[in-house]
Amino acid sequence: MTIMDKTADIPAPRAGGSDDSPLLEVRDLHVEFHTRDGVAKAVNGVNYSVDSGETLAVLGESGSGKSVTAQAIMGILDMPPGKIPQGQILYRGQDMLTMSYEERRKIRGQKIAMIFQDALSSLNPVLSVGYQLGEMFRVHQGLSKKQAKAKAIELMERVKIPAAKQRVGDYPHQFSGGMRQRIMIAMALALEPDLIIADEPTTALDVTVQAQVMDLLKELQTEFNMGLILITHDLGVVADVADKIAVMYAGRIVETAPVHELYKRPAHPYTRGLLDSIPRLDQKGQELYAIKGLPPNLLKIPSGCAFNPRCPKAEDICRTEIPALVPVSEQDGSELPGRGSACHFWKETIHG
Ligand SMILES: Nc1ncnc2c1ncn2[C@@H]1O[C@H](COP(=O)(O)OP(=O)(O)OP(=O)(O)O)[C@@H](O)[C@H]1O
Ligand SMILES: [Mg+2]
């Protein structure tokens, strides 16, 4: 069964693009993988949007469909085995899924750029960093070799790589992990995109370097007024960086909220579980909470709410009816803009 989710911050579909369209809007997106063992339903009706200058953090355990959604937006899904049976991906109001290959190619890479977790495998080991950065300008803007090199140095300076002029001819392995991730950011910025999708951009780095890279990304995003979709399973990273959060579970958005409200008052038991499992400095020595059980097998997602077998609050209805993502309000009925929960018992969860 599929149901159209309704959220507070998701406007009605538009036929064509218009100025008031969000920068990027994913609507009721479904992605499945046809495997030997059956159909794995990786994305099951995702809705989210991000505007210029805004950061959306997408959060959820491993396998919840965060990266697959991003790959669908970038048009880099493996198809087959992947398939998009339903949904829209609107860039400034225009559905990229129905665009011609040529139209789509112009958006991908130029208007929307992606940063991956593993810089080493995304960069070509046998070409210098300067060559790879410069290539963007030679191919897309027809610049000469010399002009492209100057641009590459400029970009390396932008992302604060020390001694950029001297290092422009160095190869990827000659840079530290943090510096390589800065090169990936430079690469993404090269064509001045409107939107950056960063998929676990700092996960492979140690904590201090993580913070530096994150700060840089945030700084550049503000300067260029870009939209940012930040995919992470680390709730600690997002608090300082994101404006709003979408929490994913088994291929669906189960909660959306402005970042600080989510931390203060989660409206879904899954979000509450994620928050309770963050180590806290003021509770040293106490056993860390963990959500019981494991995320579901996507070949066989539980009926009703996919989280029900792990949920401390589950009742009969949770085992039979998929909860829609509905607007969340204050106890007196007043609106909580941007908030939504896909829990039958959201009221008890947030107000209880
Ligand atoms: N090419 C593929 N073929 C088959 N299944 C796939 C393929 N790509 C992804 N999947 C499945 O889709 C599901 C969602 O994967 P996805 O990579 O989006 O998870 P994620 O939320 O990004 O997790 P993580 O935090 O581990 O990166 C997973 O169960 C994964 O095995
Ligand atoms: Mg992932």
Side-chain angles (χ1 to χ4, degrees):
M1 174 171 74
T2 57
I3 45 172
M4 276 291 284
D5 293 335
K6 289 177 271 196
T7 37
D9 67 342
I10 291 167
R14 297 176 191 80
S18 69
D19 286 346
D20 61 351
S21 302
L23 178 60
L24 184 94
E25 188 181 342
V26 175
R27 298 183 60 90
D28 194 32
L29 184 72
H30 292 250
V31 180
E32 51 195 37
F33 292 100
H34 292 251
T35 69
R36 235 182 2 193
D37 301 325
V39 179
K41 299 200 168 196
V43 176
N44 298 297
V46 160
N47 291 296
Y48 62 55
S49 71
V50 65
D51 260 314
S52 300
E54 191 180 44
T55 298
L56 164 73
V58 181
L59 202 85
E61 282 167 297
S62 190
S64 54
K66 307 181 296 294
S67 296
V68 168
T69 305
Q71 287 159 11
I73 296 170
M74 280 303 282
I76 53 171
L77 267 181
D78 286 334
M79 299 212 273
K83 199 175 156 189
I84 300 180
Q86 197 173 324
Q88 292 178 305
I89 301 173
L90 306 168
Y91 170 77
R92 297 192 183 279
Q94 306 270 16
D95 188 4
M96 293 202 285
L97 294 178
T98 57
M99 278 179 188
S100 69
Y101 175 78
E102 197 49 36
E103 277 176 308
R104 192 154 187 193
R105 200 180 58 87
K106 278 192 197 137
I107 295 176
R108 179 168 89 207
Q110 299 194 44
K111 300 290 184 197
I112 307 178
M114 192 154 171
I115 302 169
F116 299 92
Q117 173 179 335
D118 186 0
L120 205 50
S121 65
S122 308
L123 291 164
N124 189 329
V126 300
L127 296 174
S128 75
V129 157
Y131 184 89
Q132 293 182 64
L133 283 169
E135 194 171 28
M136 309 287 288
F137 299 106
R138 290 192 305 276
V139 171
H140 292 282
Q141 296 178 355
L143 298 193
S144 72
K145 249 178 144 174
K146 201 171 155 194
Q147 289 167 322
K149 186 177 169 190
K151 281 275 199 185
I153 295 170
E154 196 183 305
L155 268 180
M156 287 170 75
E157 282 168 350
R158 266 241 114 95
V159 297
K160 300 180 184 153
I161 293 177
K165 252 191 206 126
Q166 288 80 51
R167 303 213 62 188
V168 68
D170 285 357
Y171 292 86
H173 72 269
Q174 293 173 289
F175 291 86
S176 68
M179 287 299 150
R180 273 199 297 268
Q181 210 53 328
R182 286 173 192 261
I183 294 162
M184 291 306 296
I185 294 174
M187 205 89 131
L189 284 177
L191 303 172
E192 297 177 19
D194 301 334
L195 174 69
I196 289 195
I197 304 175
D199 192 351
E200 310 268 5
T202 61
T203 305
L205 308 173
D206 62 48
V207 180
T208 31
V209 180
Q210 247 179 32
Q212 290 161 2
V213 171
M214 223 48 246
D215 286 349
L216 172 72
L217 192 58
K218 189 70 199 163
E219 188 188 313
L220 293 165
Q221 179 214 5
T222 310
E223 188 184 333
F224 293 105
N225 196 34
M226 294 179 292
L228 175 64
I229 297 177
L230 175 66
I231 297 171
T232 177
H233 53 250
D234 186 349
L235 259 170
V237 171
V238 299
D240 300 329
V241 179
D243 299 302
K244 59 183 189 182
I245 297 193
V247 181
M248 275 190 88
Y249 189 78
R252 307 175 70 86
I253 305 290
V254 295
E255 177 157 13
T256 54
V259 65
H260 294 293
E261 289 197 35
L262 186 104
Y263 283 79
K264 250 189 292 177
R265 288 196 298 175
H268 196 290
Y270 178 59
T271 314
R272 170 149 290 172
L274 288 177
L275 289 170
D276 287 345
S277 16
I278 306 178
R280 286 175 46 174
L281 290 172
D282 58 342
Q283 291 178 354
K284 252 191 177 159
Q286 278 191 28
E287 203 176 313
L288 197 58
Y289 174 84
I291 303 172
K292 68 171 186 186
L294 292 170
N297 174 353
L298 298 175
L299 294 169
K300 232 177 114 194
I301 295 175
S303 61
C305 170
F307 186 58
N308 86 71
R310 305 173 73 190
C311 183
K313 289 204 156 75
E315 299 198 17
D316 285 346
I317 186 174
C318 307
R319 289 179 270 275
T320 52
E321 262 180 53
I322 298 180
L325 186 61
V326 293
V328 162
S329 53
E330 243 4 311
Q331 231 153 354
D332 64 6
S334 56
E335 247 185 87
L336 284 167
R339 293 212 62 167
S341 168
C343 174
H344 292 299
F345 298 102
W346 64 265
K347 281 188 191 140
E348 290 81 347
T349 310
I350 187 171
H351 303 306

